[in-house]
Amino acid sequence: MRSDKVNIEKKLLEIIKEEELIQKEIIKRFGKITNEEKKEVRKTLKDLYKKDVVYKDQKNRYHIKTEHKVVGTIEFTRRGTMAFVTGKSGEEVAITIENAGNAMHGDRVLIEKIGKWRDLDSGKVVKILKRGTKTLVGQVQKKKSTCFVIPIESKINSDFYIPKKYEKNVKNGQIVKIEVIKYKTKVKNPEAKVIEILGNENEPKIDLPIVLAKHDLPEPKKFKENVMNEARSIPNKIIKKDLKGRKDFRNDLIFTIDGDTAKDFDDAVGIKKLDNGNYELGVHIADVSNYVKENKPLDLEAYRRGTSVYLIDTVIPMLPHELSDWICSLVENEERLTMSLIMEINKNGDIVSSNIYNGVIKSKKRLTYKKVNLILNNEADEKLEKEIGWLRPQFELMKELMEILRENRKKRGSILDIESGEIYFEFDEKGFVKDIIPVERGISEVIIEEFMIKANEVIASYFFDKELPFIYRVHANPDPQLLIQLKNYLDIIGVKVDLPNKITSNVLQEILNNTKNHPLSKSIQKLLVRTMKRAIYSDENIGHFGLGSSAYTHFTSPIRRYPDLIVHRMLKKYIKNNYKLTKEDIEKYRKILPEIAEQSSKNERNANEAEWDLYDMKKAEYMQSHLSEEFEVFITGITKFGFFVEIPEKMINGLVHVSELKDDYYNYREKDNMLIGEKTKRILKVGDKLKVKAVKVNKLKAEIDFIPILEKKLNKPKKNRKNKKSKKRR
């Protein structure tokens, strides 16, 4: 069979090399072959496409990819002045704006390498293989009888002409959703038609529709009819046949701990101290896979969405609320089906033994982080003590185990205490942002985090140790170039660090420890996070750098994450087949997991970007009502056109343009990353504290411009002989 495949592959490449054809035409070139052989040709062609040996153009014709060409999605920078394409092998190619041709952000393109740009290969777009942008959001701009839409997404650097018949009676300045009907050419702007009028620029209610349209997210609580029909057909109580073969935990002391407003309770926990001094930790996860069956409408929609999206006070759930808020949710005093992991953990935080079961529980209490924190901090009032004080011994035991697990993670090199940067928006009666309050994590949040990390590691180890196919959560080592940028940043703000040749997570943890009391600690954390690559889903296990874990997965949130649902399905097969997988299952999962991992990572990234966009718009809205007020800020970045600042207590960022520095003409010294006044010799550098006023806010693009309130005191550079000598030489 192997030689047959080699021959098919060889012939396929010969056919494609001779002429660019669609799949149907390629199969015809094989002559008279059986249906089974046709199936093998299609499979081989698909494999060649996945391996990046061949690519498809806009007309679905196959081409052979040569060594100096790269196929990937073009992504423009925030200002739309530069673009990058990453190939399947991970190589990155820089594209200057003049070499981008008619490509738009998100297009799948063929790139030809033409030289170097800094440390990267540079290239030019030679062919647009597939358009990535079909709909977008923008602002109407009318000039006499002509109508254009300016995209809100600054990565798209074209205005869209709207023909008269597609205007939909829009008014100047309105925010609209448009559909592209003609793409940009060398001589013409792209054209589009208005498909929805979202509203006026300064209405608070418009922000959510903008983000939904921009990221192509579904309406909250809106599912297709066939999906809803399946959801409604699911019983709202456990039925007898579902209890068969399950381990009964209904009499155990098990409870949930979540946020105040949460409704989808994925996980519940229970804890005991054993006679031998070890801890027995039970992590019980909602058995969503019992209700969401493979390839049924609910499953296909969950795969398409990939994740629930949390947009301030709005949730776009992965599953309809009939499942997410009820039958799958581990509601207090309701019997619920679970995948239950029972772990024995010793005083060093090591796993002594573990077992995974199909289980059934009955949560004894729905707890909130806030309430548990009050108990553990001895700040509970009489009413709260009466309500949940009886659980204090459980909370103390959980805290004890959490500290052991954290110490265990610390010793192995896991990065601890990176703040989430979470904030809470307070709104007035009209829906405008009244205040922005940073959210601090309490003890109970850390407890649940540690328990879930341990559960995810144990589940991953079952499959990794037996070399079975699996879906992992992986986190690659940091980018060396970005680590150098981090070191330079720390040097500039006076924090000296030595970066060894081999970077481990312990090195980054040391930086966090040494800078936790620094006024720019949040900015340092942000930059440190940026040095690390994004955690993604993968069928290949490379470990998790940030957690210092050799094998990690996501098992604990199947209501809101599709990969967790896949892990549950695999666990059921694993349990049923005596803790292994059948040959058929191994072959099946090796085939489908790469695509599921890629799709899940893509959906997660889109959800994250939607969340960040809405947060940034709301921060800009807050600043609109605080124009001309003084704020104390820190400089977080220097460029030749100005410097970026942050209001730390609000986590708001903005720009001070160099033209606003009225006291002097400032030169940018790239080597030292400073702005220096020509006459005054005033230095502006990263880490400096100063006062500013916001003077201009573009809420749609989430851009805030500040002007400085410079003090008269000068900050002059130190003179030394070395500087004098170098000056004489010049």
Side-chain angles (χ1 to χ4, degrees), residues 350-564:
D350 297 318
I351 298 291
V352 175
S353 65
S354 70
N355 285 293
I356 182 73
Y357 303 98
N358 290 300
V360 57
I361 70 164
K362 190 175 184 179
S363 171
K364 300 297 182 283
K365 195 69 186 168
R366 182 280 202 252
L367 301 164
T368 66
Y369 294 125
K370 191 185 288 182
K371 288 179 178 179
V372 177
N373 289 338
L374 287 169
I375 294 283
L376 286 171
N377 293 330
N378 297 312
E379 295 170 352
D381 59 20
E382 192 177 327
K383 185 183 174 185
L384 186 59
E385 281 288 355
K386 190 176 178 181
E387 183 193 350
I388 62 169
W390 57 281
L391 284 167
R392 184 184 291 273
Q394 300 297 117
F395 301 157
E396 296 290 354
L397 196 57
M398 289 164 70
K399 183 185 174 189
E400 197 177 294
L401 178 57
M402 173 271 285
E403 288 168 348
I404 288 168
L405 291 173
R406 275 177 74 78
E407 187 58 31
N408 181 286
R409 280 210 295 134
K410 187 178 177 182
K411 281 179 181 173
R412 77 182 190 203
S414 183
I415 298 174
L416 308 174
D417 301 323
I418 289 186
E419 290 182 28
S420 63
E422 193 179 340
I423 52 178
Y424 170 73
F425 290 99
E426 218 174 71
F427 296 95
D428 65 19
E429 64 282 355
K430 291 181 180 178
F432 289 98
V433 178
K434 187 167 72 175
D435 202 3
I436 300 172
I437 302 154
V439 177
E440 300 293 332
R441 285 199 317 161
I443 300 169
S444 65
E445 286 95 331
V446 179
I447 288 170
I448 295 301
E449 179 184 59
E450 288 300 327
F451 290 179
M452 297 307 123
I453 287 172
K454 183 52 70 180
N456 286 331
E457 287 180 336
V458 169
I459 295 298
S461 72
Y462 290 161
F463 290 82
F464 182 62
D465 292 347
K466 293 183 179 180
E467 298 182 345
L468 296 169
F470 197 54
I471 187 164
Y472 295 95
R473 181 71 170 175
V474 300
H475 188 210
N477 288 359
D479 187 317
Q481 288 299 116
L482 292 175
L483 281 169
I484 291 167
Q485 287 180 27
L486 174 65
K487 185 183 185 308
N488 292 341
Y489 179 86
L490 293 169
D491 285 346
I492 287 163
I493 62 173
V495 178
K496 299 297 175 188
V497 293
D498 292 319
L499 293 180
N501 290 332
K502 187 180 178 183
I503 296 293
T504 64
S505 43
N506 299 74
V507 175
L508 302 186
Q509 183 62 50
E510 183 98 15
I511 291 171
L512 286 174
N513 294 341
N514 294 341
T515 58
K516 63 182 176 184
N517 295 320
H518 194 281
L520 279 171
S521 62
K522 285 187 173 65
S523 291
I524 293 165
Q525 282 190 24
K526 279 182 197 169
L527 191 57
L528 188 143
V529 168
R530 281 204 295 270
T531 66
M532 296 189 285
K533 295 177 181 178
R534 286 179 68 93
I536 59 169
Y537 298 104
S538 176
D539 63 310
E540 293 181 19
N541 183 30
I542 59 166
H544 196 295
F545 176 84
L547 293 173
S549 181
S550 58
Y552 192 70
T553 191
H554 273 169
F555 151 76
T556 54
S557 294
I559 291 175
R560 62 185 180 88
R561 291 189 306 226
Y562 193 76
D564 303 53

Side-chain angles (χ1 to χ4, degrees), residues 70-128:
V70 176
V71 173
T73 301
I74 189 164
E75 295 191 13
F76 283 81
T77 57
R78 186 157 187 154
R79 292 177 179 271
T81 55
M82 190 80 193
F84 297 88
V85 171
T86 305
K88 282 190 180 177
S89 61
E91 62 180 321
E92 195 173 32
V93 181
I95 316 291
T96 57
I97 194 72
E98 59 269 20
N99 287 322
N102 299 323
M104 285 169 54
H105 178 73
D107 289 347
R108 185 170 172 79
V109 294
L110 176 67
I111 298 297
E112 186 174 19
K113 294 180 186 177
I114 56 172
K116 284 283 181 184
W117 183 83
R118 297 184 182 174
D119 296 326
L120 294 174
D121 287 327
S122 70
K124 66 176 180 178
V125 175
V126 292
K127 192 172 281 190
I128 296 163

Side-chain angles (χ1 to χ4, degrees), residues 639-643 655-668 675-676 684 706 708:
T639 70
K640 62 183 178 183
F641 55 82
F643 55 89
L655 173 72
V656 176
H657 196 272
V658 71
S659 62
E660 297 294 348
L661 301 173
K662 307 292 187 186
D663 65 323
D664 201 348
Y665 181 83
Y666 283 79
N667 292 305
Y668 175 53
L675 285 169
I676 302 175
L684 293 167
F706 293 100

